[in-house]
Amino acid sequence: MNAARRIGIYYGCEMNFIHEGYRGMIDGGDRIKAVICVDVSVIIHKDGKLIGSARCKEFRQIEGRLIAAYNIVMKGINSLIVILGDGSLARINIVRKEWPSLIEESFQLISKEVKYKCSDFFMVRIFSDFSE
């Protein structure tokens, strides 16, 4: 997680934590928070459990993914770094494949500028050992 933040700083990206993973994507609001340098320096010695993860039955359904897509785009997020295992990667790969239709279906009322900005979806996988 710290490596991802440092890479983001290097490339001038704004980074966000999505607390509770896919559950946080669907809930939106304050579950998606911008990360500042202080946030990372405080947790460098801790593992990813600090931001949490949660199983999310709703994310397995198209309706849940539509809500998640809407929430992350409205926060200005156009790329994700997924930290966890194969199950998380498999689910986000479904979103990557569905992305154009998710945008079209959930953003019919959003401006063309927002649609263009978020028309591509990229995914990076980071392997992480959460053992203590």
Side-chain angles (χ1 to χ4, degrees), residues 12-62:
C13 300
E14 179 182 322
M15 305 291 285
N16 293 272
F17 283 152
I18 301 177
H19 294 267
E20 304 303 327
Y22 297 138
R23 169 86 265 147
M25 289 171 103
I26 291 174
D27 291 347
D30 64 353
R31 296 272 187 137
I32 304 172
K33 295 181 181 174
V35 180
I36 56 173
C37 294
V38 174
D39 291 335
V40 175
S41 66
V42 170
I43 63 171
I44 193 168
H45 61 288
K46 298 180 181 180
D47 59 21
K49 292 177 186 171
L50 189 71
I51 61 172
S53 64
R55 297 203 182 272
C56 184
K57 189 184 297 185
E58 295 89 349
F59 199 77
R60 294 176 186 223
Q61 306 300 319
I62 187 69

Side-chain angles (χ1 to χ4, degrees), residues 5-126:
R5 175 65 182 137
R6 289 181 186 270
I7 290 169
I9 291 170
Y10 178 80
Y11 285 104
C13 300
E14 179 182 322
M15 305 291 285
N16 293 272
F17 283 152
I18 301 177
H19 294 267
E20 304 303 327
Y22 297 138
R23 169 86 265 147
M25 289 171 103
I26 291 174
D27 291 347
D30 64 353
R31 296 272 187 137
I32 304 172
K33 295 181 181 174
V35 180
I36 56 173
C37 294
V38 174
D39 291 335
V40 175
S41 66
V42 170
I43 63 171
I44 193 168
H45 61 288
K46 298 180 181 180
D47 59 21
K49 292 177 186 171
L50 189 71
I51 61 172
S53 64
R55 297 203 182 272
C56 184
K57 189 184 297 185
E58 295 89 349
F59 199 77
R60 294 176 186 223
Q61 306 300 319
I62 187 69
E63 295 83 6
R65 294 190 299 273
L66 285 167
I67 294 167
Y70 178 84
N71 285 334
I72 64 172
V73 170
M74 291 309 294
K75 288 283 191 172
I77 297 170
N78 61 7
S79 300
L80 293 175
I81 298 173
V82 177
I83 304 173
L84 279 175
D86 290 340
S88 299
L89 179 62
R91 285 183 188 80
I92 204 65
N93 195 39
I94 291 169
V95 171
R96 184 189 58 79
K97 290 176 183 176
E98 293 176 341
W99 193 251
S101 64
L102 289 174
I103 291 294
E104 194 58 42
E105 290 179 43
S106 61
F107 295 100
Q108 291 178 5
L109 302 176
I110 301 296
S111 72
K112 288 182 181 180
E113 181 181 325
V114 172
K115 282 185 186 179
Y116 177 77
K117 178 181 177 185
C118 301
S119 62
D120 291 324
F121 185 78
F122 301 96
M123 174 182 55
V124 176
R125 181 172 188 202
I126 294 179

